[in-house]
Amino acid sequence: MDWPKVKTILIFFLLVINLLIGSLYVYRKTEDARMERQMVENVVSGLESMGVTIDPDIFKVRTAPIYMLEVERDTELEVSAFSVLLDQPVTEELGGGNLMLTSGESWARLSGDGLFEVFLGDSDGIRVAKPGIEGAVEVFRQMGIDVTGDYLTASAADDGIVVKGVQGLNGRKIFNRNYEINIVSGEVRSMRGGRILGTPLVCDTTPSVSLATAVFAFAENMNRNGTPCREISGAALGYYAESSAPGFTRITPAWEIVSDLGIYYVDAISLEPISQWSLPK
């Protein structure tokens, strides 16, 4: 048998297969892009027929799908973290999943779904070297909480500085998990809001819907409710959190949609409006 010839034929055969696979991949990518463009054009046209204008450029930002998550509450972790702010606190269970930590005039109330409120008495303030965002990050670090992925802003208040944060997860905001820290004379005096602790795990592999699908569903829903919007100027994919069972918090993908009527949220799995978190004008 002429082995060199057989080897040449096999190499040629493999090259042909690779070319066919490559061509099929390019075709599928091209076809996917064409179908995506067509879908966007159909959505823009459909919105226009409802009297809604939208900037086509908002569709240029590509967003990978995200998934529903769930986290189990870890009360030991919560007590350990917030005990750092108090001097040898006493922990009391108030029922309904609520915990109260007290130390002299200072206290911390911890609820389900990551909700908390902290007050520090005149002699118990936590000194920060750099008031502002850096100081808030340092306080959380001492509590064993990493907030480097959160969205933080700082602003002056009558009696000091207020640092506000929105919890981040996988590079996205959890829209309804916000908190603030009040810093007075270089000391943390109070904290309140919500920030989920623990490690969220995927509980449903259904991917979030596309932006095109979300904005069209939003416009249709507003029309059905008799409050049609006339313009959609922005959108962002993130999450919203809610209790799914005692001791568990579900973190669901959601689209934040900015319209002429205000900021609204749409469940990115079911397409149902999330009215309790929307901010109409």
Side-chain angles (χ1 to χ4, degrees):
M1 182 178 290
D2 190 349
W3 286 111
K5 185 175 181 180
V6 171
K7 183 178 180 181
T8 301
I9 294 173
L10 286 174
I11 292 173
F12 177 76
F13 181 70
L14 291 173
L15 284 173
V16 171
I17 291 177
N18 285 335
L19 285 173
L20 289 174
I21 293 174
S23 298
L24 179 60
Y25 174 78
V26 171
Y27 170 77
R28 291 188 61 178
K29 295 293 287 185
T30 303
E31 186 65 13
D32 288 346
R34 185 193 67 78
M35 292 179 65
E36 185 175 337
R37 287 195 303 271
Q38 185 63 50
M39 181 179 185
V40 169
E41 291 173 3
N42 292 341
V43 167
V44 171
S45 176
L47 291 174
E48 287 178 348
S49 68
M50 289 188 281
V52 182
T53 61
I54 186 170
D55 184 356
D57 286 344
I58 71 172
F59 295 104
K60 291 182 179 179
V61 179
R62 301 184 65 85
T63 54
I66 57 178
Y67 303 89
M68 186 180 294
L69 308 165
E70 194 166 58
V71 60
E72 183 176 4
R73 186 182 185 187
D74 187 339
T75 55
E76 290 186 7
L77 176 61
E78 292 179 8
V79 170
S80 174
F82 285 90
S83 291
V84 172
L85 304 175
L86 307 173
D87 181 21
Q88 297 180 336
V90 175
T91 303
E92 179 184 2
E93 293 189 11
L94 303 179
N98 297 312
L99 301 174
M100 178 69 81
L101 282 63
T102 56
S103 175
E105 296 180 349
S106 303
W107 52 267
R109 182 186 180 102
L110 312 177
S111 305
D113 300 327
L115 304 180
F116 63 85
E117 185 174 5
V118 178
F119 171 79
L120 300 177
D122 293 338
S123 60
D124 298 328
I126 303 297
R127 173 66 61 177
V128 291
K130 296 181 179 180
I133 291 177
E134 290 183 73
V137 170
E138 174 60 21
V139 169
F140 275 116
R141 188 194 65 77
Q142 293 178 27
M143 296 170 64
I145 302 173
D146 182 8
V147 297
T148 53
D150 291 2
Y151 300 80
L152 302 173
T153 59
S155 59
D158 293 339
D159 55 354
I161 296 175
V162 176
V163 177
K164 295 184 178 181
V166 180
Q167 184 172 358
L169 177 63
N170 301 328
R172 303 283 178 189
K173 291 181 179 179
I174 303 181
F175 296 120
N176 62 331
R177 282 300 170 266
N178 310 279
Y179 55 87
E180 65 178 47
I181 302 176
N182 292 291
I183 302 175
V184 181
S185 300
E187 293 186 343
V188 174
R189 309 304 301 183
S190 65
M191 304 168 63
R192 65 178 181 178
R195 194 184 190 286
I196 299 167
L197 304 183
T199 304
L201 301 174
V202 174
C203 66
D204 191 321
T205 56
T206 304
S208 56
V209 299
S210 67
L211 171 59
T213 300
V215 294
F216 194 80
F218 164 74
E220 282 193 319
N221 181 70
M222 297 301 283
N223 274 349
R224 284 196 301 269
N225 291 339
T227 55
C229 73
R230 293 293 175 237
E231 181 183 5
I232 296 174
S233 56
L237 181 61
Y239 300 93
Y240 78 97
E242 62 179 353
S243 177
S244 56
F248 288 85
T249 300
R250 183 168 296 157
I251 306 172
T252 303
W255 279 101
E256 178 186 68
I257 298 176
V258 183
S259 75
D260 58 311
L261 299 178
I263 300 175
Y264 289 80
Y265 297 91
V266 175
D267 187 310
I269 302 294
S270 68
L271 292 176
E272 292 295 320
I274 310 171
S275 58
Q276 65 268 37
W277 302 118
S278 297
L279 302 170
K281 290 182 178 178

